[in-house]
Amino acid sequence: MAKTFRVGLIGYKFMGRAHSNAWRQAPKFFNLKANIELHTLCGRDAAGVQAARAKLGWEHATTDWCDIVESPLIDIVDIATPTFAHAEMAIAALKNGKHVLCEKPLGRDLKECEAIFAAAKKAKGVHMVCHNYRRIPAIALAKRMLSEGTLGKLYHFRARYAQDRLADVEFPLDWRLQKETSGSGVHSDIGSHIVDLARYLVGEFTQVCGVVHTFVPERPRADLLAKGKRQLGKVTAPDSSAFIGWLENGVMANLEATRYALGRRNHIEIEINGSKGSLCFDFEDMNRLKYYNGDDPKDRQGFRDILVTQRDGIQPYVANWWPPGHGLGYEHTFVHAIADFVNACADGKSVHPTLEDGLKNQRVLTAVEKSSATGKWIKV
Amino acid sequence: MAKTFRVGLIGYKFMGRAHSNAWRQAPKFFNLKANIELHTLCGRDAAGVQAARAKLGWEHATTDWCDIVESPLIDIVDIATPTFAHAEMAIAALKNGKHVLCEKPLGRDLKECEAIFAAAKKAKGVHMVCHNYRRIPAIALAKRMLSEGTLGKLYHFRARYAQDRLADVEFPLDWRLQKETSGSGVHSDIGSHIVDLARYLVGEFTQVCGVVHTFVPERPRADLLAKGKRQLGKVTAPDSSAFIGWLENGVMANLEATRYALGRRNHIEIEINGSKGSLCFDFEDMNRLKYYNGDDPKDRQGFRDILVTQRDGIQPYVANWWPPGHGLGYEHTFVHAIADFVNACADGKSVHPTLEDGLKNQRVLTAVEKSSATGKWIKV
Amino acid sequence: MAKTFRVGLIGYKFMGRAHSNAWRQAPKFFNLKANIELHTLCGRDAAGVQAARAKLGWEHATTDWCDIVESPLIDIVDIATPTFAHAEMAIAALKNGKHVLCEKPLGRDLKECEAIFAAAKKAKGVHMVCHNYRRIPAIALAKRMLSEGTLGKLYHFRARYAQDRLADVEFPLDWRLQKETSGSGVHSDIGSHIVDLARYLVGEFTQVCGVVHTFVPERPRADLLAKGKRQLGKVTAPDSSAFIGWLENGVMANLEATRYALGRRNHIEIEINGSKGSLCFDFEDMNRLKYYNGDDPKDRQGFRDILVTQRDGIQPYVANWWPPGHGLGYEHTFVHAIADFVNACADGKSVHPTLEDGLKNQRVLTAVEKSSATGKWIKV
Amino acid sequence: MAKTFRVGLIGYKFMGRAHSNAWRQAPKFFNLKANIELHTLCGRDAAGVQAARAKLGWEHATTDWCDIVESPLIDIVDIATPTFAHAEMAIAALKNGKHVLCEKPLGRDLKECEAIFAAAKKAKGVHMVCHNYRRIPAIALAKRMLSEGTLGKLYHFRARYAQDRLADVEFPLDWRLQKETSGSGVHSDIGSHIVDLARYLVGEFTQVCGVVHTFVPERPRADLLAKGKRQLGKVTAPDSSAFIGWLENGVMANLEATRYALGRRNHIEIEINGSKGSLCFDFEDMNRLKYYNGDDPKDRQGFRDILVTQRDGIQPYVANWWPPGHGLGYEHTFVHAIADFVNACADGKSVHPTLEDGLKNQRVLTAVEKSSATGKWIKV
């Protein structure tokens, strides 16, 4: 009979909702190697977490995260809190032998990430950092094609994660814009996703050169706005970043993260060029992958607009959902991540992206920050 | 304290899965006016329905649909079977005082649809025919804009529902291609969706002229293929249709339904032109609505590519899900339909599209068939 | 030594400008089999034609078109006048042994077209009706692919020619909206182009059923507006048309022509679906052809976005212009038509589309008009 | 009576053809303030230049460029040669009092550009460096919108000039890949165009940091291939470049030039984000400008797809050509440049981009090269 994993989730806001949904949905759409029990939800506000518990489908609620990481009833700890809390929670969970799924970015800085991964190395649990975008079907298909050498020798990797909400200078100063809570603001919040995709799809960074920047240095404090008061506070973390660099095997890289691109809601644009073809992706059209095959007959070459919704296992993940042309949405990326994670836990096998990927990601982020501070190229 | 509706669902294949998901998800993402209990799932195959029950999240299973429509425990009957079964089930459910949600097309022909609606008129239950595409956020936004007169006087309505699976002449002869089980094949299966969108967005048809057609008259029988035997059977229902016509207020209409358009997976393309602007939609990019505003300054006019994912109730339905740019998928259309349906049941109020809409839809489908048979224009 | 053809052009407005440009440009970009001399330009207004002569690059000017069709100096007569003048001019030119290029639609009605073609059959000159869109490189490539059987057995042909200038009810009543001058208004003006593309790309129409329609029955008279006076006049020709029909070999056809589609400037949208693939085209992106190949590997199928600008004769016409990616514009279609026409004249060979194509086109247009009048299907 | 300018053009290959066409076409489509006489064409190969003279429409031909720059008959010298020849020719032409139009990049290095501009400052002639892309109608419209403050405070400028012909490692080593003849290879050949667009649309660069790179260090020599021999030679100029930087007023810049992007034929992609909106452009869809207006009503915001083909002077340049939706091509950019240049010569007024723009452009290119050599940020 199949094992049952009891899950404890810390955090019930945006990421908590997305993860809860994935825990509920994964067993409905995938044949998992273990059963899932949505055991305990944790949040700091007692009333809030109780309401969320019912709404999101959890059995129990607590305001003390130690109830989760220390409980012998819990098998899997899922950390969906703001960044500043990751290290303490993840390390405790790992020490307590839990399987750990942790939101990205893994920590606020290199030191935290190193400590987390050191704990992971000593622990027996399976671990994953939640770079959910790896499991967009189009991205998983791109990875498969790249692994098969479809693009030949690679020349360029280019990614831009652009949103627009900070273009409004009245957008409040929340935890994401403060160094103490977020680590590196937009650079690590969304920049880490495209660093992860570069590493996943192409390989490791060898050196980088770039800027982290704060376009709007002061914003209305979110905490005071909640009390009806408008008072400016200092933005202490970058609200944008851009860098060039090199990936292994001489691939030129160009990455940019910003929330100042009006009209770009969640635009994760990627282009990879190789000697045999090119691939393009844009999250705002997440069910599509564009592929140029240099070997197509010369009179009929062009980017193919692949709608990644084929049945029968032809394309990753999608066969578990709906017929061709019936696309998926944002939340499915978490369902796929959690389905793979649960199976890995059941098998006791490692599953990408591990906490080590989280650490390696931070090395790139930190190198860009150093480059920005010194005006120099930094080896990763 | 909120009422609880116990739901019985008949059918567990494609539509059964989509409806089950919606029953599970609606309470998680919408503040419904009643609780939902996934009470009983019905299917013809005992082993199949038991497996589906567990997988899809239902408490009980049965192979006899009368267990559902007659049970005093059941409040809502959801009919997700092939078309031929709708009438008998829906009428029984309505007679038993149930709220009824019925898949489209409502029946195989006008007579069935009339009988169903006659039962609905006498019944106290709330009823809906499941034209889920009305509740794509982009379509709901289009409806709101049209209701506000955004496009001015309308000139053209144009819709095409194109898929490609029948382009393979070896695609099997299943219930959807037989008159006895499906009514009018592709014409009613997918054609009914665009007839519904025409009626919803613009208004009633006054007359039509067109063809229903069968491109491939014989195909391998699905039932025998399942037994490893290839034998051709006669395709007795249309596998395509095309018609022109007039909608009220002099709007020229052009509709086409086909499964012979290679590369079109689930292409529901709509264009509406009026004296003040135009709207375009394509289901394969379901999170987008294109809008041309004739009043924009002349040097900067162009179709706006609206990514319908805005928060704060700015655009219909989407605020209940994720932040801007984090798109939805196919299944969300059912969640929206069921959320609205449950609220209507709780309020005891009518909710569109009613079973009368299903009947009116059939009048259009039937008129096209008559036109095809006679070569004449037919009044609807 | 190469022959020299002396050309006489009748008409100097929109089409006259486009043709003049093509006569000038063809020898610069194509190695023609004959030299071209822009000999005489004809127009009704003496001052106007003199100014146009200089501007458009002609040696002589006249206000009497007989000077051209009867002149022993002239080899080629190019008729770029409003439709009502075509028949008289073309017949005279043919009788005088000229090579004749005539704008579309060939005549105002079937009778005129038959008379023109009767003259052509008796004449020795080469003749062409100016359906310039056949020689858009993307269309020429589509034709080549279709001729090679690339799409397999064809199922659907779909075309829509949509513009938006009549959406403004104040757009003046000009010759294009009057039966006496235009024949069938928008139906023949732009509708004839997509009828031609259907015939060119797929084959002959066998029967049609449709409507020709006038959305706005009265408009300010252009002739009086020119004198500063606004007075409504009757629109006597259709300002829109839509029809379905059958092409030979059982291809279902759907065509629409309108100038009421706001935001559509010159949208000639075509889609052809066959058993092995599909092709799509939109004139507003005239350098692109979309091609879906049903034989591509299943995990990477999708419409290819072919930018039709390849060198070395790989794609039709474009090698004569610029490097890949350096697109062409509207006027190039006339240059290609005239280059092919000149070469045909030099060789004394027929070149498509001939005046017979103009006649066959009119048979389709007329059949649609009859269908509209009678409410019946009409054989072509 | 209007003045007549006699033009001498040096170079008859790709750029010579494009310029010749523009000299011929400008007077046909624009009301110029002076007449144009295509007087003398110069090229190194006697037979080649004679053939080109006839084909391209010039009166005289010569193999000695001094015949042009020194001739008292010539008013305008148009230099369309490889880069290495620009300085000597331009300086001589300027010294001889000619109006000078010079292809880009202006020179091979800063020293050459400075010498050219020094000569220009002392000369009386009007001068222009041929960054023809400024006069794409969509770019000219973008410039107008930016000048009016349509985008508010600017945050990001992003441009990529991507082609694909070098992805083939057998593409020959021609003058464009050698330092001595080209200056900086792809970096200056196409990189200079996007540097120019950044400066034109947004403003001056203040500092840059980046790389110039050579992906394929050896290629078959073009000169020997012409003789049927394949021998590798050293690529001495960059075949790609990427840099980040800052434009005045704190605009973050990101530029990349490459010929290794398979599927990208002539992809000049630009995005500009400001506090009130965004603009996007792609040369492969050169008749379109995408514009996001942050002030559009919140429920209907989205990038507008502006087809820049409006009549009546609504959008720059296009009214001189064809009706709406009848797009232009690559060559029109030269016609616009030359039309403006001729009018400026007639008026004796400066016209952008001047040779000083060519110099300022080189300062940016050189700064990137220095940055690449030193690994440091370089002030421009």
Side-chain angles (χ1 to χ4, degrees):
Chain A
M1 213 194 81
K3 195 181 302 194
T4 292
F5 287 129
R6 289 201 205 85
V7 182
L9 170 66
I10 314 175
Y12 62 81
K13 296 289 178 64
F14 174 22
M15 277 305 116
R17 290 178 68 234
H19 286 229
S20 294
N21 180 71
W23 288 112
R24 293 194 315 265
Q25 293 287 74
K28 301 299 181 198
F29 289 92
F30 289 81
N31 291 315
L32 302 182
K33 298 180 177 176
N35 300 314
I36 294 300
E37 200 180 316
L38 279 71
H39 193 273
T40 305
L41 180 68
C42 174
R44 283 174 290 184
D45 177 68
V49 74
Q50 270 303 346
R53 187 202 60 75
K55 191 75 184 172
L56 302 179
W58 296 83
E59 295 160 34
H60 310 283
T62 177
T63 58
D64 182 355
W65 61 269
C66 296
D67 286 353
I68 284 178
V69 300
E70 293 172 2
S71 164
L73 297 172
I74 298 288
D75 303 289
I76 291 173
V77 175
D78 181 358
I79 302 167
T81 65
T83 313
F84 69 89
H86 290 182
E88 191 179 11
M89 292 170 179
I91 292 167
L94 288 160
K95 284 194 178 154
N96 282 289
K98 310 304 186 196
H99 302 304
V100 172
L101 176 65
C102 184
E103 256 306 314
K104 44 49 57 183
L106 186 55
R108 283 172 292 183
D109 53 31
L110 206 43
K111 207 176 133 194
E112 282 194 348
C113 293
E114 280 167 349
I116 296 172
F117 181 55
K121 274 197 292 192
K122 286 188 220 146
K124 67 178 178 50
V126 169
H127 47 86
M128 183 191 253
V129 60
C130 191
H131 280 297
N132 56 306
Y133 292 130
R134 287 192 180 200
R135 286 174 171 91
I136 299 165
I139 292 292
L141 177 60
K143 171 65 180 175
R144 191 203 281 170
M145 292 170 75
L146 285 159
S147 299
E148 291 168 358
T150 304
L151 297 203
K153 176 182 159 42
L154 301 187
Y155 292 119
H156 290 283
F157 175 88
R158 197 170 162 80
R160 183 184 182 217
Y161 199 144
Q163 299 181 333
D164 63 0
R165 61 181 173 172
L166 296 183
D168 178 357
V169 296
E170 287 299 308
F171 188 92
L173 174 59
D174 61 9
W175 73 266
R176 291 171 191 273
L177 287 167
Q178 296 178 71
K179 185 178 178 56
E180 196 167 75
T181 41
S182 77
S184 301
V186 169
H187 178 53
S188 54
D189 190 3
I190 59 178
S192 68
H193 273 306
I194 49 176
V195 167
D196 182 66
L197 290 171
R199 293 184 56 251
Y200 178 54
L201 294 171
V202 177
E204 300 298 339
F205 285 83
T206 58
Q207 50 179 329
V208 295
C209 182
V211 290
V212 296
H213 184 69
T214 305
F215 277 113
V216 177
E218 293 192 314
R219 289 177 174 275
R221 285 173 51 183
D223 53 349
L224 297 177
L225 280 177
K227 295 170 190 163
K229 212 171 119 188
R230 186 183 176 284
Q231 189 186 305
L232 295 180
K234 201 165 175 235
V235 175
T236 55
D239 59 16
S240 53
S241 70
F243 63 100
I244 54 177
W246 295 96
L247 295 158
E248 50 189 341
N249 300 316
V251 181
M252 194 186 284
N254 184 325
L255 290 87
E256 186 176 299
T258 184
R259 281 182 165 134
Y260 288 90
L262 267 176
R264 303 299 193 181
R265 305 301 196 210
N266 200 46
H267 181 65
I268 310 173
E269 191 183 39
I270 292 171
E271 179 163 336
I272 308 174
N273 309 115
S275 60
K276 292 186 178 174
S278 293
L279 287 171
C280 303
F281 174 79
D282 173 3
F283 185 81
E284 291 182 1
D285 293 299
M286 64 168 277
N287 293 294
R288 297 177 181 277
L289 180 67
K290 307 229 170 156
Y291 166 49
Y292 180 89
N293 179 3
D295 291 333
D296 277 340
K298 284 202 182 304
D299 64 337
R300 56 196 71 181
Q301 291 179 321
F303 276 93
R304 289 185 206 167
D305 190 4
I306 309 171
L307 195 59
V308 188
T309 58
Q310 289 303 88
R311 293 172 188 269
D312 304 326
I314 289 166
Q315 292 165 335
Y317 300 110
V318 286
N320 287 60
W321 298 93
W322 313 110
H326 297 66
L328 305 184
Y330 168 68
E331 74 224 45
H332 298 75
T333 60
F334 292 95
V335 180
H336 303 165
I338 276 174
D340 285 351
F341 180 66
V342 167
N343 287 338
C345 292
D347 290 341
K349 284 190 186 157
S350 178
V351 60
H352 75 87
T354 64
L355 297 186
E356 186 174 14
D357 285 300
L359 167 59
K360 287 180 174 173
N361 193 307
Q362 185 63 44
R363 285 197 185 122
V364 181
L365 298 174
T366 298
V368 174
E369 291 176 275
K370 256 190 217 167
S371 173
S372 185
T374 61
K376 293 186 181 162
W377 281 80
I378 304 293
K379 290 203 175 141
V380 179
Chain B
M1 216 195 80
K3 194 181 304 194
T4 292
F5 287 129
R6 289 201 206 84
V7 182
L9 170 66
I10 314 175
Y12 62 83
K13 295 286 178 66
F14 174 22
M15 277 304 116
R17 289 177 69 234
H19 285 228
S20 294
N21 180 70
W23 288 111
R24 292 193 314 266
Q25 293 287 73
K28 301 300 181 197
F29 288 92
F30 289 81
N31 291 315
L32 303 181
K33 297 179 177 177
N35 298 315
I36 295 298
E37 200 180 314
L38 279 71
H39 193 273
T40 304
L41 181 68
C42 173
R44 284 173 290 184
D45 178 67
V49 73
Q50 269 303 346
R53 185 203 62 74
K55 191 74 186 173
L56 302 180
W58 297 83
E59 294 160 33
H60 310 283
T62 177
T63 58
D64 182 355
W65 60 268
C66 295
D67 287 352
I68 283 178
V69 300
E70 295 171 2
S71 165
L73 296 173
I74 298 288
D75 305 288
I76 292 173
V77 174
D78 180 359
I79 302 167
T81 66
T83 313
F84 70 89
H86 290 182
E88 190 179 13
M89 291 170 180
I91 292 167
L94 287 161
K95 284 193 178 154
N96 283 289
K98 309 303 185 197
H99 302 303
V100 172
L101 176 66
C102 183
E103 255 308 313
K104 41 52 58 184
L106 186 55
R108 282 172 294 184
D109 52 31
L110 206 44
K111 204 175 134 195
E112 281 195 348
C113 293
E114 279 166 350
I116 296 172
F117 180 56
K121 272 197 293 193
K122 286 187 218 145
K124 68 178 177 49
V126 170
H127 48 85
M128 182 191 254
V129 60
C130 192
H131 279 298
N132 56 306
Y133 291 131
R134 288 193 180 200
R135 287 175 172 89
I136 298 165
I139 292 293
L141 177 60
K143 172 65 180 174
R144 190 203 282 169
M145 290 169 75
L146 285 159
S147 300
E148 291 168 357
T150 303
L151 296 202
K153 174 180 163 44
L154 300 188
Y155 292 118
H156 290 284
F157 175 87
R158 195 168 165 80
R160 182 183 182 217
Y161 199 144
Q163 298 181 334
D164 63 0
R165 59 181 175 173
L166 296 182
D168 178 357
V169 297
E170 287 298 308
F171 189 92
L173 174 57
D174 61 9
W175 71 266
R176 293 174 191 273
L177 287 167
Q178 296 178 72
K179 185 179 177 58
E180 196 169 75
T181 40
S182 78
S184 300
V186 169
H187 178 52
S188 56
D189 190 2
I190 58 177
S192 68
H193 273 308
I194 49 177
V195 167
D196 182 66
L197 291 172
R199 292 185 56 252
Y200 178 54
L201 295 171
V202 176
E204 299 298 339
F205 285 83
T206 58
Q207 49 180 329
V208 296
C209 181
V211 289
V212 297
H213 184 70
T214 305
F215 277 111
V216 177
E218 292 192 315
R219 288 176 175 275
R221 283 175 51 185
D223 53 349
L224 298 176
L225 278 178
K227 295 170 191 163
K229 212 172 120 187
R230 185 182 176 284
Q231 188 185 304
L232 292 181
K234 198 162 179 238
V235 175
T236 55
D239 60 15
S240 52
S241 70
F243 63 100
I244 55 176
W246 295 98
L247 295 160
E248 52 189 339
N249 300 316
V251 181
M252 193 186 284
N254 185 323
L255 289 86
E256 185 176 300
T258 184
R259 280 182 166 133
Y260 288 90
L262 267 176
R264 304 299 193 181
R265 305 303 195 209
N266 200 46
H267 181 65
I268 310 172
E269 190 183 42
I270 293 171
E271 179 163 335
I272 308 173
N273 309 116
S275 60
K276 291 185 178 174
S278 294
L279 286 171
C280 304
F281 173 79
D282 173 2
F283 185 79
E284 291 182 1
D285 293 299
M286 64 168 276
N287 293 295
R288 297 178 181 277
L289 180 68
K290 305 231 172 159
Y291 165 50
Y292 180 89
N293 179 4
D295 291 332
D296 276 339
K298 284 201 182 305
D299 65 338
R300 57 196 70 180
Q301 291 180 320
F303 276 94
R304 288 184 207 169
D305 190 3
I306 308 172
L307 193 60
V308 188
T309 58
Q310 289 302 88
R311 295 172 186 270
D312 304 326
I314 290 167
Q315 292 165 335
Y317 300 110
V318 286
N320 286 59
W321 298 95
W322 313 111
H326 297 68
L328 305 185
Y330 168 68
E331 74 223 44
H332 298 76
T333 60
F334 292 95
V335 179
H336 303 164
I338 277 175
D340 285 351
F341 179 66
V342 166
N343 287 337
C345 292
D347 291 341
K349 286 188 185 158
S350 177
V351 61
H352 75 87
T354 64
L355 296 186
E356 187 173 14
D357 286 300
L359 167 59
K360 288 180 174 173
N361 194 308
Q362 185 61 45
R363 285 196 185 123
V364 182
L365 297 174
T366 299
V368 174
E369 290 175 275
K370 256 190 218 169
S371 171
S372 186
T374 62
K376 293 188 178 160
W377 281 80
I378 303 294
K379 289 205 173 140
V380 179
Chain C
M1 214 195 82
K3 194 181 304 194
T4 293
F5 288 129
R6 289 201 206 84
V7 182
L9 171 66
I10 315 174
Y12 62 83
K13 296 286 177 66
F14 174 21
M15 277 305 116
R17 289 177 68 234
H19 285 229
S20 295
N21 180 70
W23 287 112
R24 292 193 314 264
Q25 293 286 74
K28 301 300 179 195
F29 288 93
F30 289 82
N31 291 316
L32 302 182
K33 297 179 178 177
N35 298 316
I36 294 299
E37 199 180 315
L38 280 71
H39 193 274
T40 304
L41 179 68
C42 173
R44 285 174 289 185
D45 178 68
V49 73
Q50 269 302 347
R53 186 203 61 76
K55 190 75 185 171
L56 302 180
W58 295 84
E59 293 159 37
H60 310 283
T62 177
T63 56
D64 181 356
W65 59 269
C66 295
D67 286 352
I68 284 178
V69 300
E70 295 171 2
S71 166
L73 296 173
I74 299 286
D75 304 288
I76 292 174
V77 174
D78 180 359
I79 302 167
T81 65
T83 313
F84 69 88
H86 290 182
E88 191 179 11
M89 292 171 181
I91 292 167
L94 288 161
K95 284 193 178 155
N96 283 289
K98 310 304 183 194
H99 302 303
V100 172
L101 176 64
C102 184
E103 257 307 313
K104 39 56 53 185
L106 186 55
R108 281 173 295 184
D109 53 31
L110 207 44
K111 206 175 131 195
E112 281 194 348
C113 293
E114 280 166 349
I116 295 172
F117 180 57
K121 274 196 294 191
K122 284 187 223 147
K124 66 176 178 46
V126 170
H127 48 86
M128 181 191 254
V129 59
C130 191
H131 280 297
N132 55 306
Y133 292 130
R134 288 192 180 201
R135 288 175 171 90
I136 298 166
I139 292 293
L141 177 60
K143 172 65 180 174
R144 190 203 284 170
M145 291 169 76
L146 286 158
S147 300
E148 291 168 358
T150 304
L151 297 202
K153 176 182 160 42
L154 301 187
Y155 293 120
H156 290 284
F157 175 87
R158 195 168 164 81
R160 181 183 183 218
Y161 199 145
Q163 298 181 335
D164 62 2
R165 61 180 174 174
L166 295 182
D168 178 357
V169 297
E170 288 297 310
F171 188 92
L173 174 58
D174 60 9
W175 73 266
R176 293 172 191 272
L177 288 167
Q178 296 179 71
K179 187 179 176 54
E180 196 168 76
T181 41
S182 79
S184 299
V186 169
H187 177 52
S188 55
D189 190 3
I190 59 177
S192 68
H193 272 307
I194 50 177
V195 166
D196 182 67
L197 291 172
R199 292 185 57 253
Y200 178 54
L201 294 171
V202 177
E204 299 299 337
F205 285 83
T206 58
Q207 49 178 329
V208 296
C209 182
V211 289
V212 297
H213 184 70
T214 305
F215 277 113
V216 178
E218 293 192 315
R219 290 178 173 275
R221 285 174 50 184
D223 53 347
L224 297 178
L225 279 177
K227 295 171 191 162
K229 212 171 120 189
R230 186 184 175 282
Q231 188 185 305
L232 294 182
K234 202 164 175 240
V235 176
T236 55
D239 59 16
S240 52
S241 70
F243 64 100
I244 54 177
W246 295 97
L247 295 160
E248 52 189 337
N249 300 315
V251 180
M252 193 186 284
N254 184 324
L255 289 88
E256 185 177 301
T258 184
R259 282 185 164 132
Y260 288 90
L262 268 176
R264 303 299 193 182
R265 304 302 195 210
N266 200 45
H267 181 66
I268 310 171
E269 190 182 42
I270 293 171
E271 179 163 336
I272 307 173
N273 308 115
S275 61
K276 292 186 179 174
S278 293
L279 286 172
C280 303
F281 173 78
D282 172 4
F283 185 80
E284 291 182 2
D285 294 299
M286 65 168 274
N287 292 295
R288 296 177 182 278
L289 180 68
K290 306 228 172 161
Y291 165 50
Y292 180 89
N293 179 3
D295 290 332
D296 277 339
K298 284 202 181 305
D299 64 338
R300 57 197 70 180
Q301 292 178 320
F303 277 94
R304 288 185 208 166
D305 190 3
I306 307 172
L307 194 61
V308 188
T309 58
Q310 289 301 88
R311 296 173 186 269
D312 304 325
I314 291 166
Q315 293 165 335
Y317 300 111
V318 287
N320 287 60
W321 298 94
W322 313 110
H326 297 68
L328 305 185
Y330 167 68
E331 74 225 43
H332 297 75
T333 60
F334 292 95
V335 180
H336 303 164
I338 277 175
D340 286 352
F341 179 66
V342 167
N343 287 338
C345 293
D347 290 342
K349 286 189 185 158
S350 178
V351 60
H352 75 86
T354 64
L355 296 186
E356 186 174 15
D357 286 299
L359 167 59
K360 287 179 174 175
N361 193 308
Q362 185 61 45
R363 287 198 183 120
V364 181
L365 298 173
T366 298
V368 173
E369 291 176 275
K370 257 190 215 166
S371 172
S372 185
T374 61
K376 293 185 181 163
W377 282 80
I378 304 295
K379 290 205 175 138
V380 179
Chain D
M1 212 195 82
K3 193 182 303 195
T4 293
F5 288 128
R6 290 201 206 85
V7 182
L9 170 65
I10 315 175
Y12 62 83
K13 297 286 177 66
F14 174 20
M15 276 306 114
R17 289 177 69 234
H19 286 229
S20 294
N21 180 71
W23 288 112
R24 292 194 313 267
Q25 293 286 74
K28 301 298 181 197
F29 288 92
F30 289 81
N31 290 316
L32 303 182
K33 297 181 177 175
N35 298 317
I36 294 298
E37 199 179 316
L38 279 70
H39 193 274
T40 305
L41 179 68
C42 174
R44 284 174 290 184
D45 178 67
V49 74
Q50 269 303 345
R53 187 202 61 75
K55 191 76 184 169
L56 301 180
W58 295 84
E59 294 159 35
H60 310 283
T62 177
T63 58
D64 181 355
W65 60 268
C66 295
D67 286 354
I68 284 177
V69 301
E70 294 172 2
S71 165
L73 295 173
I74 298 287
D75 303 289
I76 292 174
V77 175
D78 181 359
I79 304 167
T81 65
T83 313
F84 70 88
H86 290 181
E88 192 180 9
M89 292 172 180
I91 291 167
L94 287 161
K95 283 193 178 154
N96 282 291
K98 310 302 183 196
H99 302 303
V100 173
L101 176 65
C102 184
E103 256 306 315
K104 45 47 63 185
L106 187 54
R108 283 173 293 183
D109 52 33
L110 206 43
K111 207 175 131 193
E112 281 194 349
C113 293
E114 279 166 349
I116 296 173
F117 180 56
K121 273 196 295 192
K122 284 188 221 144
K124 66 179 179 45
V126 169
H127 48 86
M128 183 192 253
V129 60
C130 191
H131 279 296
N132 55 307
Y133 292 130
R134 288 191 179 201
R135 287 175 172 90
I136 299 165
I139 292 291
L141 177 60
K143 172 65 182 176
R144 190 202 283 169
M145 291 170 76
L146 285 158
S147 299
E148 291 169 357
T150 303
L151 296 203
K153 175 181 161 42
L154 301 187
Y155 293 119
H156 290 284
F157 174 87
R158 198 168 161 80
R160 183 184 182 217
Y161 199 143
Q163 298 180 336
D164 63 1
R165 60 180 174 172
L166 295 183
D168 178 356
V169 296
E170 287 298 309
F171 188 92
L173 174 58
D174 61 9
W175 72 266
R176 293 173 191 271
L177 287 166
Q178 296 178 70
K179 187 179 176 56
E180 197 168 74
T181 40
S182 78
S184 301
V186 169
H187 178 52
S188 54
D189 191 4
I190 59 177
S192 68
H193 272 307
I194 50 178
V195 166
D196 182 65
L197 290 171
R199 291 184 57 251
Y200 178 53
L201 294 171
V202 176
E204 299 298 338
F205 285 82
T206 58
Q207 49 180 327
V208 296
C209 181
V211 289
V212 297
H213 184 70
T214 305
F215 277 112
V216 177
E218 292 192 315
R219 290 179 173 273
R221 283 174 50 183
D223 52 349
L224 298 177
L225 280 177
K227 296 171 191 162
K229 210 170 121 190
R230 186 185 176 281
Q231 189 185 304
L232 294 181
K234 197 158 179 245
V235 176
T236 55
D239 60 16
S240 52
S241 70
F243 62 100
I244 54 176
W246 294 97
L247 295 159
E248 53 190 336
N249 299 317
V251 180
M252 194 186 284
N254 185 324
L255 290 88
E256 186 176 299
T258 184
R259 280 184 166 133
Y260 288 91
L262 268 175
R264 303 300 193 182
R265 304 302 195 212
N266 201 45
H267 181 65
I268 310 172
E269 189 183 43
I270 292 170
E271 179 164 336
I272 308 174
N273 308 117
S275 60
K276 291 186 178 172
S278 293
L279 286 171
C280 302
F281 173 79
D282 173 2
F283 185 80
E284 290 181 2
D285 293 299
M286 66 167 275
N287 292 295
R288 296 178 182 277
L289 180 68
K290 306 229 172 160
Y291 164 50
Y292 180 89
N293 178 3
D295 291 332
D296 276 340
K298 284 202 181 305
D299 64 339
R300 56 197 69 180
Q301 291 178 321
F303 276 94
R304 287 184 207 167
D305 190 2
I306 308 171
L307 194 61
V308 187
T309 58
Q310 290 300 90
R311 293 175 188 269
D312 304 326
I314 290 166
Q315 292 164 334
Y317 301 110
V318 287
N320 286 61
W321 298 95
W322 314 110
H326 297 67
L328 306 185
Y330 167 68
E331 73 225 43
H332 297 75
T333 60
F334 291 95
V335 181
H336 303 163
I338 276 174
D340 286 351
F341 179 66
V342 167
N343 287 338
C345 291
D347 290 341
K349 285 188 186 161
S350 178
V351 60
H352 76 87
T354 64
L355 296 187
E356 187 173 15
D357 285 300
L359 167 59
K360 287 180 173 174
N361 193 308
Q362 185 61 45
R363 285 197 184 121
V364 181
L365 298 174
T366 299
V368 174
E369 291 176 274
K370 259 191 215 168
S371 173
S372 186
T374 61
K376 293 186 182 161
W377 282 80
I378 304 295
K379 291 205 173 139
V380 179

